[in-house]
Amino acid sequence: MAYWSSGSGADTQKLIRGDRGMVAMSDDNIMMKQIIATHTPDGREVDVKPLFFLVQDILNRATFQVDIPEGVQAQMEIEDKSQQAGLFAMIDAISFTIDRISCEIAYKALGGSDAHATTVSLFSLLATYSWDAKLVLTLAAFALNYGEFWLLAQIYPANQLAKSMAILKQLPSLMENTGPLKARFDALNNLIKAMMDVTKCVIEFKELPSAYIHQDVAAFSTAMTHIPIAVYWTIRSIVACATQITMLTSMGHDYAVSTTESWELSTLAHKLKTIYEHLRKQLATCYQYIEEKKSLEAYQMLLHLFETLHVDNMKILRALIYAKDDLLPLVDGASKKRVSIDVLRRKNVLLLISGLDFSHEELSILEQIYSESRQQAGRLESQFEVVWIPIVDRSIEWNEAMQKQFEILQASMSWYTVHHPTLIEKAVIKFIKEVWHFKNRPILVVLDPQGRVVCPKAIHMMWIWGSNAFPFTSMREEALWKEEAWRLELLVDGIDPMVLNWIREGKYIFLYGGDDLEWIRKFTNAARTVATAARIPLEMVYVGKSTKREQVRRIMASIQIEKLSQAWPDLTMVWFFWTRLESMLFSKIQLGRADDQDPMMQEIKKLLSYDRDGGWAVLSKGSQVVVNGHGTTIVPALLEYDIWKENVPVKGFDVSFKEHHQKLHGIAHPCCRFEFSSHFGRTPHSMTCPECLRVMEKFTTFCCCHDDHVPGIGSSSLY
């Protein structure tokens, strides 16, 4: 709860400056000193919010209407009986004070007392109360009389008792001549709204949590200085409004035709609006400060949680997804029903973290891997659950387009998803970005049944080995690499059954790629000619390029029309081929083995480098890879078949081609280049060239490929 200082006369000048026409500046300072001198709080705390809600209800319903509907009655709806009982008890304790205020205002109004003098007398009467209590009690006294006035005005045509009372208050004559009154009551309604707005602000400042904000915060300190000013002018406005009603009911139609009072009400409304805008601005700054403090506290709590041992994963998952018990935060992908976090208790949980720009390819392959794991429910590799945690920029206002995009993604997922992105707190987003290095591309964080992080970057393992990588530990990753070898299955496993059939049949296979259609024509024609001459069974398949989707699509169409070779019909297959290759490199980087003198890793790095510039091809005989070469050496080796064809009967086609290609490769080393997107997270500090084994130079580049599915942003390149 916030505590207020009384402020000084000099501090009040900023807000008072906007209304020079009403009182001179020096008089304002004297006036505020006089008000602050009456403030002697005795420490009593009055919970004014329930009373304010009641007052708000009265004033909202007591509205001037030219055509008053018959039988309309104001009614306060309080559903909770305990709240009702508490409100009645509070009103019983303060009703005497409210009555005294009401009488004081009416007496001063009828006696022709100056508005400032009346306001000062009310401050003296309320000396021991806090600033917010002074304001709400005075507002309640006004609501009592104003509400009675409009209750009679609304029901007297249909109620004889009300009619008799209305006659005593001259209401019928007033209501029958509403023309001159409309401007007056419009001004009254505008001023009452301004009074309510300022009162809400004052109450909100009182309710600010003292644990998170204090006088050292500039916005809070400034606001506390101006609270007495705001309370003064609001109570003075209440006096003006009450005087209007008192004079109307005592002097009747003669008072109603006066226009001076409407001008006074409008002037006060303008002043209160200025005060409100200033307080609202300071309040917004305070809320932002509190939110940042709470967010930092929640972030520190998350760090501590992950450093602490737990009996299960519930504390961790609740802190990450949703900590309260008032709603079901997850959606079951299979049934599409809302479920609680308890469905994940003591299970291995894979947190799939991404934005709303989840690509069709990524989603399609993940769905395939997940579906296969569910079909093998009895296996150890299937003992995990996936939860999608959508991360959105909270500074951007949530809109219909974002909602639709989210719903489409959520509907397509068969695993658990967070019910809505807004459930994920800012502190959690900060933790995910700073600790787990999430930027833009999806990541997969693996938690064990106790909530411990087993692997913060498991997406690479998922792309390479699918659910076989379970439990996704570094030890499991190392073990899986030891089982692998540089063979064609490593490149196409899980992508193209047709190629796997060719492998089983022991055929020669060319996997090739690039974005130069002329080079592709030259390569495929040369390969087909050599295969015919050497009498070998040769198959070729075009696997595209990691970028330039639309260009790859056009090339695939040309290959099929011209019957140059086989081409993967689905761009998802092309995406997965290159994603798996990149994942292999990142997996090795994650293990700190990217520069190991491992022949398999060197060949993978070559292939990724060749993809950046020109065409390339990998030749295998069945499973065994024979040559992995750049387009600048592969095509010449094929075109020079006449030079090495005499070796084929003796050494075999595979050995003969490999030896001649190595000779050409020794003459013309292609340039090697690797690019790491800045969205991917951590990138290697250095890397050795797979061709010459020297340390590569490092550059920073900016790329914008409009033909791509995802526009390029910043990247680090190694040459």
Side-chain angles (χ1 to χ4, degrees):
M1 182 176 290
Y3 296 93
W4 299 326
S5 64
S6 60
S8 64
D11 292 329
T12 67
Q13 291 185 13
K14 291 181 182 178
L15 214 61
I16 297 174
R17 194 177 295 130
D19 193 60
R20 298 180 183 181
M22 192 170 283
V23 184
M25 188 70 69
S26 58
D27 291 340
D28 279 338
N29 295 337
I30 295 170
M31 174 185 68
M32 288 315 302
K33 286 180 179 178
Q34 184 182 8
I35 293 301
I36 291 168
T38 67
H39 186 59
T40 55
D42 59 6
R44 279 185 298 174
E45 287 295 332
V46 180
D47 183 11
V48 297
K49 205 166 186 179
L51 178 61
F52 177 71
F53 286 151
L54 183 63
V55 170
Q56 188 176 32
D57 184 76
I58 293 170
L59 295 179
N60 284 342
R61 296 173 187 272
T63 305
F64 171 69
Q65 301 173 28
V66 176
D67 298 317
I68 301 173
E70 294 186 8
V72 176
Q73 294 188 16
Q75 181 180 359
M76 178 65 181
E77 297 175 4
I78 304 176
E79 297 179 359
D80 191 329
K81 290 185 178 180
S82 62
Q83 282 186 339
Q84 194 177 44
L87 179 62
F88 289 162
M90 182 190 69
I91 291 174
D92 184 58
I94 60 175
S95 61
F96 176 72
T97 303
I98 293 174
D99 286 338
R100 281 192 66 190
I101 296 169
S102 180
C103 292
E104 182 76 7
I105 294 174
Y107 174 75
K108 297 283 188 182
L110 291 171
S113 178
D114 173 67
H116 172 67
T118 303
T119 305
V120 172
S121 70
L122 292 177
F123 273 99
S124 298
L125 182 64
L126 298 166
T128 58
Y129 289 94
S130 60
W131 293 109
D132 63 318
K134 295 179 202 287
L135 188 50
V136 176
L137 287 170
T138 308
L139 200 59
F142 168 69
L144 191 64
N145 288 332
Y146 192 66
E148 180 187 12
F149 175 86
W150 279 111
L151 179 61
L152 289 176
Q154 290 174 4
I155 70 171
Y156 83 85
N159 186 294
Q160 185 57 47
L161 174 61
K163 186 174 183 179
S164 299
M165 293 180 66
I167 291 171
L168 284 176
K169 289 182 175 288
Q170 305 187 62
L171 276 178
S173 62
L174 289 173
M175 294 298 103
E176 288 167 6
N177 298 277
T178 56
L181 284 174
K182 188 175 187 314
R184 180 82 56 84
F185 279 108
D186 284 345
L188 261 175
N189 289 339
N190 289 335
L191 181 53
I192 289 170
K193 182 183 181 305
M195 286 155 40
M196 298 292 285
D197 287 340
V198 174
T199 305
K200 284 179 191 175
C201 256
V202 172
I203 293 172
E204 284 186 66
F205 272 111
K206 182 65 178 293
E207 292 181 334
L208 292 179
S210 58
Y212 296 99
I213 198 162
H214 42 76
Q215 287 286 348
D216 294 339
V217 180
F220 182 71
S221 177
T222 301
M224 294 303 99
T225 300
H226 289 103
I227 288 294
I229 305 170
V231 173
Y232 170 81
W233 283 109
T234 307
I235 291 180
R236 181 157 171 175
S237 298
I238 293 170
V239 169
C241 290
T243 300
Q244 293 285 308
I245 300 301
T246 300
M247 297 305 289
L248 275 173
T249 56
S250 60
M251 296 180 64
H253 189 265
D254 293 338
Y255 183 76
V257 296
S258 173
T259 58
T260 306
E261 288 74 16
S262 295
W263 176 85
E264 181 191 2
L265 296 178
S266 298
T267 304
L268 287 168
H270 176 73
K271 175 173 280 293
L272 286 190
K273 184 179 179 183
T274 303
I275 291 172
Y276 171 73
E277 289 172 353
H278 174 79
L279 289 180
R280 199 79 232 172
K281 183 179 177 182
Q282 301 303 322
L283 191 60
T285 305
C286 289
Y287 279 139
Q288 183 180 353
Y289 179 86
I290 291 167
E291 185 179 359
E292 289 171 359
K293 291 275 285 185
K294 286 184 175 181
S295 185
L296 180 61
E297 184 181 84
Y299 178 76
Q300 296 294 338
M301 183 201 71
L302 272 173
L303 291 175
H304 176 71
L305 271 178
F306 277 96
E307 293 170 356
T308 308
L309 294 177
H310 305 282
V311 293
D312 60 27
N313 54 7
M314 284 295 96
K315 279 188 178 180
I316 293 291
L317 292 175
R318 289 183 190 280
L320 288 173
I321 298 172
Y322 191 70
K324 301 175 185 175
D325 294 321
D326 57 342
L327 57 80
L328 301 174
L330 297 179
V331 174
D332 186 333
S335 65
K336 302 304 178 186
K337 293 181 179 179
R338 301 273 293 273
V339 295
S340 74
I341 292 179
D342 286 332
V343 298
L344 305 173
R345 188 183 296 273
R346 294 194 180 90
K347 291 185 179 180
N348 294 285
V349 177
L350 277 56
L351 301 176
L352 177 60
I353 302 169
S354 79
L356 298 183
D357 54 349
F358 218 130
S359 75
H360 165 74
E361 291 83 4
E362 289 169 314
L363 201 52
S364 176
I365 298 300
L366 274 175
E367 180 62 44
Q368 180 182 326
I369 293 171
Y370 182 78
S371 178
E372 290 173 357
S373 73
R374 298 299 100 175
Q375 292 170 9
Q376 303 164 346
R379 294 178 56 190
L380 181 65
E381 292 85 346
S382 304
Q383 304 305 308
F384 63 84
E385 296 292 347
V386 179
V387 180
W388 179 42
I389 298 185
I391 302 298
V392 296
D393 186 350
R394 299 294 284 272
S395 65
I396 299 174
E397 186 177 354
W398 188 258
N399 54 52
E400 288 185 16
M402 295 168 70
Q403 179 66 26
K404 185 176 180 180
Q405 190 176 5
F406 167 72
E407 288 173 357
I408 291 171
L409 282 172
Q410 188 179 52
S412 65
M413 295 178 179
S414 55
W415 46 81
Y416 292 109
T417 62
V418 171
H419 170 61
H420 199 272
T422 52
L423 293 183
I424 307 301
E425 298 288 345
K426 287 184 178 180
V428 175
I429 296 174
K430 174 183 170 73
F431 178 86
I432 287 172
K433 289 182 176 180
E434 295 189 3
V435 178
W436 292 341
H437 305 286
F438 170 77
K439 291 196 174 181
N440 187 48
R441 296 177 65 174
I443 63 172
L444 198 65
V445 179
V446 183
L447 306 179
D448 71 6
Q450 285 72 47
R452 292 173 297 196
V453 177
V454 173
C455 180
K457 296 278 185 180
I459 195 77
H460 308 315
M461 283 189 271
M462 184 66 86
W463 295 140
I464 303 168
W465 297 290
S467 60
N468 288 330
F470 182 85
F472 302 97
T473 60
S474 298
M475 189 179 298
R476 177 59 177 161
E477 194 172 7
E478 293 266 21
L480 288 168
W481 273 120
K482 288 178 182 177
E483 297 173 8
E484 295 292 355
W486 178 236
R487 53 199 177 95
L488 201 61
E489 288 92 336
L490 178 65
L491 302 180
V492 299
D493 189 29
I495 301 176
D496 189 355
M498 178 180 66
V499 177
L500 296 178
N501 287 335
W502 294 342
I503 291 172
R504 284 190 290 270
E505 293 169 7
K507 291 183 176 182
Y508 283 92
I509 304 164
F510 261 128
L511 246 61
Y512 72 96
D515 58 355
D516 185 343
L517 186 57
E518 284 304 314
W519 179 88
I520 290 170
R521 289 183 180 123
K522 192 173 183 180
F523 162 71
T524 52
N525 288 332
R528 191 174 292 107
T529 300
V530 169
T532 302
R535 297 180 181 179
I536 59 168
L538 177 67
E539 300 287 354
M540 294 181 286
V541 62
Y542 175 68
V543 299
K545 188 176 177 66
S546 63
T547 57
K548 301 183 179 179
R549 287 171 52 90
E550 292 306 314
Q551 191 169 345
V552 168
R553 192 194 303 275
R554 290 192 293 269
I555 289 172
M556 289 167 65
S558 297
I559 289 172
Q560 291 172 347
I561 292 170
E562 299 176 30
K563 298 181 179 179
L564 300 177
S565 72
Q566 297 289 335
W568 284 342
D570 188 353
L571 283 175
T572 300
M573 297 168 71
V574 174
W575 174 86
F576 193 34
F577 175 83
W578 291 107
T579 297
R580 288 186 75 249
L581 276 177
E582 289 178 357
S583 295
M584 291 174 196
L585 175 58
F586 279 108
S587 173
K588 286 289 189 178
I589 291 172
Q590 194 163 278
L591 292 171
R593 303 286 178 84
D595 285 335
D596 284 2
Q597 302 306 310
D598 173 11
M600 175 174 57
M601 201 61 239
Q602 299 306 320
E603 296 299 327
I604 290 170
K605 287 163 70 176
K606 282 183 189 178
L607 201 50
L608 288 168
S609 175
Y610 295 159
D611 174 59
R612 299 298 171 187
D613 186 24
W616 59 271
V618 171
L619 175 67
S620 73
K621 182 182 181 182
S623 177
Q624 183 182 0
V625 176
V626 178
V627 167
N628 175 18
H630 192 265
T632 54
T633 55
I634 286 288
V635 172
L638 289 170
L639 294 176
E640 294 175 3
Y641 174 67
D642 288 341
I643 298 175
W644 52 272
K645 66 181 180 180
E646 61 186 24
N647 296 327
V648 174
V650 180
K651 298 181 178 180
F653 179 84
D654 52 342
V655 175
S656 302
F657 179 72
K658 182 178 181 180
E659 288 179 349
H660 190 73
H661 179 267
Q662 285 177 337
K663 289 178 183 178
L664 296 177
H665 185 270
I667 298 169
H669 282 291
C671 177
C672 283
R673 183 177 70 171
F674 298 99
E675 292 183 359
F676 301 92
S677 171
S678 60
H679 285 303
F680 208 90
R682 291 171 292 182
T683 57
H685 295 293
S686 64
M687 186 174 288
T688 57
C689 173
E691 300 283 1
C692 64
L693 302 182
R694 288 181 293 188
V695 176
M696 303 173 76
E697 292 186 64
K698 186 174 183 178
F699 298 86
T700 297
T701 64
F702 292 87
C703 181
C704 188
C705 301
H706 297 278
D707 190 43
D708 288 353
H709 179 62
V710 180
I713 307 185
S715 65
S716 295
S717 302
L718 292 165
Y719 291 85

